[in-house]
Amino acid sequence: LAMYSDVSIADRRRAACEDNALPSLDLYYGTASKLVDRAFTPTMRKEGRLLMFLKERLARMKTPVDVGPALRMVLTAKLDPPEREDLVAAFTGMLSRIAESHREFLWTETMLGLDTETLRRTPALIPALRSYVVRQLSGTRCAERFDEEPRSVQRLNAAIINIDPQGLTYRPISPKESKPDRKGAAFDSEDAWQSNRSEQVLEALRWLKHGNRDLPDNQRFWTAAERSTDEWNARYQALVKILEGWKEEEERFPELYVFMVCQTYSSLAALLPPGRAQDNHVDAYLSFLEGRYSPVENRNLWFTQVKHLLGNKVFLPRFARSRNPVIATYAKLQMRLAR
């Protein structure tokens, strides 16, 4: 509990429609929910320290990226009915302070718990979420979703009609209420795999996976034996040279470069048969991530790739000796948890 309380969320600006990366706070709020029945004694709960702890988390809500994970914490934490009611009230109070950001709203729109069962069980959420959804949709709306009816409106309206079909207490959101004031920029989702180098990599990966063979279903993929032939190995070595020559300045964004290189390393690691070649490849992947810790400003993106790398339990002892303390610490932790 003390360690978690020391965790700070970095200052975050509101994301613009053209931003290509957003933070994820699922683990932050999800861990708080798990601590409810693991870190608080009955005496601590009686003293109100549990609710104080959870309300402190809610007080850190700043943007729509917080809202979905925070609401999940409120709804899933093991609380007594009076505690839940108190926490819901704190959440709805904070919700009115969340600034408008359509890009971030889209990111967590499906996490808002806008189903009939949830809202029937917690009716205090209905007016607060209704007001929040209207505020997020009636300002600037990102261009690629400008003309479509938002899923949040569809789900919330369906729940309101089921709960209050006569409209005596709650009204569905009207098209006029959710009409945007202005059109924002569009998110360019076609940035990845567009450069000459990345297209070479993608084409080489395709061959290493299935040789571009015109066979039905999974029959086109190389078998383990076929991935051990001289031809396959020669193609693999050729791709490694392309990968080693890949420069950050060849891509539009540094984050895009890191993402695509890591995806390539990961795909190749899964294709290589166990042995020296796979060991050397994983070492090269690890070295790349170690070298990108300082240059990459987006720590979330970097750590996402690290988490994927650590999924290979065979190599955890090697990762535990990494020169990067973050990688080494998490590898040691996973080794200890596996005992």
Side-chain angles (χ1 to χ4, degrees):
L1 179 61
M3 292 174 65
Y4 180 85
S5 297
D6 285 339
V7 174
S8 62
I9 303 178
D11 289 336
R12 289 161 285 133
R13 63 172 178 82
R14 280 195 301 165
C17 282
E18 57 267 34
D19 283 343
N20 68 332
L22 294 173
S24 172
L25 298 177
D26 291 14
L27 285 175
Y28 179 75
Y29 289 103
T31 303
S33 180
K34 292 178 181 178
L35 284 171
V36 168
D37 64 332
R38 301 184 188 184
F40 290 89
T41 65
T43 299
M44 294 169 70
R45 295 181 76 137
K46 188 176 181 180
E47 293 172 347
R49 293 171 62 182
L50 169 59
L51 279 178
M52 184 181 298
F53 167 77
L54 293 174
K55 288 179 180 179
E56 287 174 351
R57 310 283 76 76
L58 296 179
R60 299 188 180 192
M61 292 169 56
K62 291 185 177 180
T63 74
V65 170
D66 293 86
V67 174
L71 178 57
R72 186 177 295 170
M73 177 191 75
V74 170
L75 296 174
T76 61
K78 294 183 179 179
L79 300 171
D80 296 333
E83 292 174 328
R84 178 104 51 212
E85 185 177 345
D86 195 347
L87 195 62
V88 167
F91 173 80
T92 57
M94 286 300 304
L95 199 58
S96 63
R97 299 167 52 184
I98 301 299
E100 176 258 326
S101 173
H102 189 235
R103 168 61 63 221
E104 294 171 276
F105 177 74
L106 291 174
W107 181 246
T108 59
E109 186 180 23
T110 58
M111 301 170 59
L112 291 179
L114 302 177
D115 58 278
T116 300
E117 182 181 351
T118 297
L119 296 178
R120 193 189 301 278
R121 190 171 61 248
T122 321
L125 288 173
I126 297 176
L129 287 173
R130 186 188 188 284
S131 177
Y132 169 72
V133 169
V134 168
R135 187 167 69 256
Q136 294 297 325
L137 295 175
S138 60
T140 300
R141 190 179 299 182
C142 300
E144 76 276 11
R145 298 280 289 275
F146 189 80
D147 295 320
E148 66 181 57
E149 183 181 5
R151 288 171 290 179
S152 52
V153 172
Q154 297 174 16
R155 295 184 64 191
L156 183 56
N157 281 352
I160 289 175
I161 292 171
N162 286 332
I163 295 169
D164 185 11
Q166 302 300 320
L168 301 178
T169 306
Y170 310 113
R171 292 182 299 106
I173 298 173
S174 68
K176 183 178 180 180
E177 287 178 287
S178 60
K179 183 180 179 180
D181 285 341
R182 65 194 71 85
K183 180 185 288 189
F187 166 56
D188 187 359
S189 60
E190 302 299 327
D191 287 331
W193 310 106
Q194 298 299 306
S195 67
N196 290 334
R197 176 83 64 174
S198 65
E199 287 181 350
Q200 293 176 31
V201 169
L202 206 56
E203 185 57 37
L205 271 176
R206 288 194 188 101
W207 192 94
L208 290 173
K209 288 181 177 180
H210 49 66
N212 297 321
R213 298 185 295 184
D214 187 16
L215 294 173
D217 302 325
N218 291 337
Q219 295 179 37
R220 72 183 189 279
F221 293 103
W222 299 122
T223 63
E226 290 172 326
R227 295 198 305 272
S228 300
T229 64
D230 290 341
E231 181 185 11
W232 194 93
N233 188 60
R235 294 260 193 166
Y236 162 72
Q237 294 296 339
L239 176 52
V240 168
K241 291 182 179 179
I242 297 173
L243 188 58
E244 291 174 344
W246 205 345
K247 304 299 181 185
E248 182 179 298
E249 52 267 25
E250 296 178 56
E251 305 303 331
R252 289 184 60 187
F253 310 106
E255 294 85 359
L256 198 62
Y257 165 76
V258 172
F259 168 76
M260 290 190 292
V261 171
C262 286
Q263 288 294 303
T264 305
Y265 271 120
S266 178
S267 297
L268 289 174
L271 292 172
L272 286 165
R276 180 177 297 179
Q278 188 186 62
D279 292 348
N280 292 338
H281 179 81
V282 171
D283 283 342
Y285 187 7
L286 176 62
S287 179
F288 175 79
L289 281 171
E290 290 172 337
R292 300 308 303 176
Y293 181 77
S294 295
V296 173
E297 294 182 6
N298 189 330
R299 290 286 187 262
N300 278 340
L301 173 65
W302 181 86
F303 188 65
T304 298
Q305 312 309 318
V306 169
K307 281 183 62 181
H308 189 72
L309 177 69
L310 294 176
N312 193 325
K313 298 180 180 179
V314 175
F315 295 101
L316 282 178
R318 186 173 305 178
F319 302 152
R321 299 190 296 272
S322 171
R323 56 194 173 96
N324 180 278
V326 177
I327 296 175
T329 299
Y330 274 87
K332 292 174 183 176
L333 178 60
Q334 286 194 216
M335 291 169 63
R336 175 166 293 191
L337 292 174
R339 290 176 184 172

